[in-house]
Amino acid sequence: MSVSGDAAAGEGNSPKMRVIRVGTRKSQLARIQTDSVVAVLKDLYPGLQFEIIAMSTTGDKILDTALSKIGEKSLFTKELEYALEKNEVDLVVHSLKDLPTVLPPAFTIGAVCKRESPYDAVIFHPKYAGQNLGTLPEKSVVGTSSLRRAAQLQRKFPHLEFKSIRGNLNTRLRKLDEQQEFSAIILAAAGLQRMGWQSRVGQLLYPEECLYAVGQGALGVEVRSKDQEVLDLVGVLHDPETLLRCIAERAFLRHLEGGCSVPVAVHTVLKDGQLYLTGGVWSLDGSDSLKETMQTTINVLAQHEDGPEDDVQRVGITARNISQGAQMAAENLGINLANLLLNKGAKKILDVARQLNDAH
């Protein structure tokens, strides 16, 4: 994980010495992600101490139900936010894709760290090593916890069957290797990378095959929105490119009123001052879909100017040290693309998907 160039400048303004308590989920991946963020903060603020407090969340406890069926928007964040609210922790490190696009007013995402690969990865049962999804036998069962992946891939690989698989990464890999139920499972490439399991990846799914989840591959640091000291502390972790891409993605999802109970997916590219956002919605079986791309001009390097909009939250994110104009352009791109899809009938596709998901 890296920090934007201005980060080192923060050291001279280190807050007074104190212990910063960092909340995290208990899973091995969550701990690795949290440790990576804390390591950067320790380098930036050698005078501070950091204490990591791990806890279980609702999503960690309910393992026999598909995520899309549980109907709780903050499955992996609620208990951590409760600890933030009670002042038991000062900041929480999350996978950004777990954070809802609307946060409770008391909280904000104070940092969006540099994104790792946002793509999905396929891991095959040992007997199918060297294969890809296209060459798996007819009726092979592929495990995924995501309606988004299943909807897109069912359309592309109609000979496969997709089935929900839950549990942390270790549990899912064990289910794949030790049971004969799944021929392959699909996981976020970034998580596998952070766990050091890249060698298990048999196929990467690029955007032509499968658009990814909003915020996938990025880490978000959630803090109390009124805690000025901690906001300043973590603000240096913002990666401008990741931040702007994720603001566009989250604005798209928020305006569509999507969540994990409907298949919504994105792909963003920031190149030569242009931010490109591709977004799509699918029916549960992938047979009905809408996908469009829009772009906007964005000046990532524009100087930030202090002003009345300094504390504006955009889709739950506060970034005072990044140009407000660039942030606004990214947010508007997400809203405009969502409106385009809504005008083409996205609401009907999503409503039907939501109803069918609730009914099953």
Side-chain angles (χ1 to χ4, degrees):
M1 197 191 86
S2 63
V3 198
S4 55
D6 299 339
E11 193 175 323
N13 306 318
S14 291
K16 60 185 181 296
M17 192 170 183
R18 56 175 275 207
V19 176
I20 302 293
R21 299 153 304 163
V22 183
T24 177
R25 287 166 62 193
K26 280 184 174 171
S27 77
Q28 187 184 354
L29 175 60
R31 288 302 304 262
I32 287 170
Q33 293 177 166
T34 300
D35 288 348
S36 73
V37 170
V38 169
V40 176
L41 288 171
K42 278 181 173 173
D43 283 347
L44 289 168
Y45 304 109
L48 288 179
Q49 285 182 295
F50 293 86
E51 178 190 352
I52 295 174
I53 299 168
M55 56 194 82
S56 293
T57 65
T58 307
D60 296 313
K61 293 168 189 166
I62 306 175
L63 294 174
D64 57 352
T65 310
L67 292 179
S68 58
K69 303 271 191 236
I70 301 171
E72 169 66 67
K73 276 186 179 171
S74 47
L75 275 181
F76 295 109
T77 59
K78 200 170 169 183
E79 285 78 3
L80 294 161
E81 286 180 339
Y82 184 73
L84 255 186
E85 186 180 17
K86 296 289 175 199
N87 205 16
E88 292 164 5
V89 297
D90 300 300
L91 57 100
V92 178
V93 179
H94 302 277
S95 291
L96 188 60
K97 69 175 184 176
D98 289 339
L99 280 165
T101 54
V102 179
L103 295 182
F107 311 118
T108 187
I109 300 165
V112 175
C113 305
K114 187 172 176 62
R115 188 178 222 164
E116 294 198 34
S117 169
Y119 304 129
D120 293 311
V122 189
I123 299 179
F124 293 90
H125 187 282
K127 70 181 175 189
Y128 293 119
Q131 301 255 28
N132 60 54
L133 291 178
T135 61
L136 282 178
E138 191 84 20
K139 304 274 187 227
S140 292
V141 177
V142 177
T144 173
S145 59
S146 157
L147 293 178
R148 167 190 63 80
R149 292 173 186 140
Q152 292 181 79
L153 295 172
Q154 245 168 350
R155 184 182 178 120
K156 200 160 185 72
F157 303 103
H159 69 294
L160 301 177
E161 292 180 4
F162 293 86
K163 189 175 173 185
S164 175
I165 184 169
R166 291 289 319 284
N168 60 36
L169 291 191
N170 310 60
T171 306
R172 292 187 212 186
L173 268 185
R174 199 163 55 246
K175 284 181 183 175
L176 172 69
D177 290 342
E178 295 176 8
Q179 300 169 12
Q180 299 304 311
E181 184 179 4
F182 298 102
S183 300
I185 59 174
I186 305 173
L187 301 164
L192 294 167
Q193 218 172 314
R194 290 176 185 131
M195 295 282 276
W197 292 345
Q198 297 95 316
S199 62
R200 286 300 310 264
V201 175
Q203 181 180 2
L204 271 181
L205 298 174
Y206 293 106
E208 311 80 66
E209 292 175 301
C210 189
L211 299 186
Y212 43 81
V214 165
Q216 186 158 306
L219 300 179
V221 182
E222 189 177 19
V223 303
R224 288 179 291 274
S225 48
K226 302 290 184 206
D227 191 337
Q228 204 61 50
E229 189 180 353
V230 175
L231 261 172
D232 290 343
L233 180 89
V234 302
V236 295
L237 297 174
H238 273 304
D239 176 69
E241 179 178 329
T242 304
L243 170 80
L244 295 169
R245 288 172 61 191
C246 289
I247 285 177
E249 294 171 17
R250 286 170 64 83
F252 172 71
L253 180 65
R254 181 173 177 169
H255 205 66
L256 282 176
E257 296 182 353
C260 67
S261 63
V262 288
V264 175
V266 295
H267 170 50
T268 47
V269 177
L270 184 53
K271 189 178 178 187
D272 300 331
Q274 292 293 306
L275 178 58
Y276 301 85
L277 169 64
T278 300
V281 300
W282 286 262
S283 58
L284 288 190
D285 64 0
S287 60
D288 202 1
S289 70
L290 280 169
K291 188 167 86 168
E292 294 288 349
T293 301
M294 290 181 84
Q295 69 189 82
T296 190
T297 302
I298 215 152
N299 185 356
V300 185
L301 299 174
Q303 287 298 305
H304 169 67
E305 294 173 7
D306 290 333
E309 293 207 323
D310 251 15
D311 286 329
V312 166
Q313 275 196 44
R314 299 192 190 278
V315 282
I317 299 169
T318 301
R320 297 193 184 113
N321 52 345
I322 311 289
S323 157
Q324 291 297 328
Q327 289 185 59
M328 193 186 302
E331 185 177 24
N332 287 338
L333 177 64
I335 293 168
N336 292 340
L337 184 62
N339 281 333
L340 177 63
L341 291 190
L342 289 169
N343 290 337
K344 292 191 168 200
K347 188 173 187 328
K348 186 181 174 191
I349 294 174
L350 293 175
D351 284 348
V352 170
R354 208 172 268 118
Q355 287 158 12
L356 283 174
N357 181 57
D358 291 345
H360 282 99

